[in-house]
Amino acid sequence: MAQIFRLTQIAAASAACSVMVACTYAEPESLVDNRHTYPTAPETAVKYLPLAEPLIDGDSEMSALTWCGDELMVFPQYPDFKSGQPAAIFSFTKSVIIDAVKAENSTEGLVPKSIAFEGIDLLETIYGYEGIEAAVCSGDDITLAIETNQLGSQEATVLVGAKYSGDKIVVHSIGETLLSPTKLSNKGNESLVQVNGGLLSLHEVNDTRLLNYNESAYFLNSFEDTESLTPVADIPYRITDATMADESGRFWVINYQYQRDTKLVTDKDPIWEKYGIGESHKSRKQVERLVELEFDGNNVSLTDTPPIQIELEGTRGRNWEGIARLDDVGFLLVTDKFPRSLLGFVPYDAP
């Protein structure tokens, strides 16, 4: 009953906040962050890969990474962020990224390739348009997840189809609208995964202690197909992006918590309970870790692979918004603009 009462409180607060500039949620005193009670586990430091203009500019607000062949595509939330410049998406070749990962103490910023983006006018016809949050590439087809803020209603994600020709991306059609399954304010479906048979759209919040249910992802055969809800494992905090799935349906997600996001504080973390907690996480309020999931055609489950706990820096945390695998050596991550525009590499030796 307490869980249902808590969900009702949050839903009511979300509806009230949807028309306000800012809002704070009051948390029950019984829900405390007790991470200091978990055993210690290893952490992995991020290696920063220096960026050049225009991606080093915080206004780029990088929001998604995906591979199109051997090109790492970097999607700003708003492709027309550069005032006076045509809309663009950016990319790096795999060889450039690998060289940067291998380099010792390089300070020369990586200059991205600029790819013309045609279709901003079409995107801006989407009600409540708030930019690109996720992208997946299949051949020359790209599917984008567009965030929308529908005031007075649910958050919603709109799927959009586009074509990539090597020098430009052209938006050609608007597909399915995915209403937020949780109705939580400013929490939508911000991750797309290309899986066998279709697309998986993951919601930011999948904590069953807050939701009291677990059907929080959508599965579609294509970006314009009718969706069906899919159960997801119990995962605290937010999921902000996902890698492509491998042949067995396994993929990695960013599991993130902003230190001031009190509405997602939980009194139990099943991942830390099983694997332990990184030393730098014990005294902080934020969470930065990568978690492996698996889709079997019916459910999204946690695998038996331990999470990658990212060593925290400073007190502000890093809002990792995009992730892509780099072969079998690790992961590439980007922040939006908090605390600044960052491209990072997290090494990983698969067991």
Side-chain angles (χ1 to χ4, degrees):
M1 181 64 70
Q3 293 281 11
I4 297 174
F5 176 67
R6 173 174 167 73
L7 179 60
T8 303
Q9 282 184 314
I10 293 178
S14 296
C17 289
S18 64
V19 293
M20 297 173 65
V21 173
C23 187
T24 302
Y25 295 92
E27 294 299 314
E29 291 183 2
S30 60
L31 285 183
V32 295
D33 193 324
N34 61 352
R35 61 184 68 191
H36 63 280
T37 64
Y38 300 111
T40 302
E43 289 184 322
T44 304
V46 174
K47 175 178 181 176
Y48 295 119
L49 309 183
L51 289 169
E53 290 287 354
L55 291 180
I56 196 172
D57 186 344
D59 289 341
S60 66
E61 205 165 343
M62 297 178 290
S63 62
L65 288 180
T66 195
W67 288 103
C68 286
D70 282 342
E71 275 191 280
L72 180 69
M73 310 294 284
V74 183
F75 288 82
Q77 185 163 347
Y78 298 98
D80 56 349
F81 72 93
K82 203 70 173 173
S83 179
Q85 298 294 318
I89 302 300
F90 303 91
S91 74
F92 299 98
T93 63
K94 181 179 286 188
S95 61
V96 165
I97 294 295
I98 290 175
D99 287 346
V101 167
K102 292 179 178 178
E104 295 287 341
N105 302 319
S106 175
T107 58
E108 184 176 353
L110 301 179
V111 179
K113 170 186 172 182
S114 180
I115 302 167
F117 186 86
E118 298 180 5
I120 285 293
D121 291 347
L122 183 57
L123 294 186
E124 290 178 345
T125 66
I126 299 172
Y127 178 66
Y129 168 71
E130 288 197 338
I132 298 169
E133 283 295 343
V136 292
C137 192
S138 178
D140 60 0
D141 291 314
I142 296 178
T143 302
L144 304 174
I146 305 300
E147 180 182 7
T148 69
N149 180 13
Q150 302 184 13
L151 296 178
S153 181
Q154 291 178 258
E155 297 287 322
T157 298
V158 178
L159 300 183
V160 169
K163 283 283 186 182
Y164 177 43
S165 62
D167 60 351
K168 66 179 177 180
I169 294 173
V170 180
V171 175
H172 57 71
S173 53
I174 297 175
E176 194 71 8
T177 296
L178 307 177
L179 296 177
S180 167
T182 68
K183 302 184 181 181
L184 295 177
S185 176
N186 198 32
K187 299 293 186 292
N189 287 54
E190 293 199 358
S191 304
L192 282 179
V193 185
Q194 191 86 44
V195 294
N196 290 332
L199 285 171
L200 194 63
S201 172
L202 297 174
H203 191 62
E204 285 186 80
V205 182
N206 302 275
D207 189 335
T208 59
R209 287 171 298 283
L210 302 182
L211 304 178
N212 207 32
Y213 60 89
N214 68 348
E215 291 188 337
S216 53
Y218 286 107
F219 176 75
L220 308 90
N221 290 322
S222 69
F223 80 94
E224 54 189 0
D225 186 44
T226 302
E227 78 282 352
S228 58
L229 281 170
T230 298
V232 179
D234 180 17
I235 303 171
Y237 316 118
R238 294 170 54 207
I239 288 178
T240 60
D241 199 21
T243 68
M244 294 186 290
D246 64 16
E247 297 81 5
S248 62
R250 293 189 169 205
F251 58 94
W252 288 78
V253 298
I254 302 169
N255 192 199
Y256 169 76
Q257 165 76 346
Y258 174 53
Q259 67 248 33
R260 295 182 182 176
D261 196 354
T262 57
K263 58 183 176 290
L264 297 185
V265 171
T266 180
D267 60 349
K268 182 180 180 182
D269 187 319
I271 296 174
W272 280 337
E273 191 172 71
K274 182 175 181 178
Y275 297 104
I277 181 174
E279 185 64 39
S280 69
H281 280 79
K282 289 186 175 183
S283 59
R284 316 288 177 85
K285 294 298 183 183
Q286 64 260 35
V287 178
E288 298 178 21
R289 65 188 178 192
L290 308 181
V291 176
E292 188 182 50
L293 303 179
E294 182 177 17
F295 179 63
D296 63 4
N298 297 297
N299 300 277
V300 178
S301 307
L302 286 162
T303 71
D304 291 329
T305 304
I308 302 170
Q309 305 201 49
I310 299 175
E311 184 179 335
L312 301 178
E313 294 181 356
T315 59
R316 299 184 64 195
R318 296 159 294 197
N319 187 20
W320 301 112
E321 284 280 327
I323 182 173
R325 269 203 97 133
L326 182 58
D327 295 334
D328 294 324
V329 298
F331 299 89
L332 299 165
L333 304 174
V334 291
T335 61
D336 53 2
K337 56 183 179 181
F338 184 84
R340 60 192 182 279
S341 295
L342 298 170
L343 170 62
F345 170 70
V346 176
Y348 177 63
D349 291 323

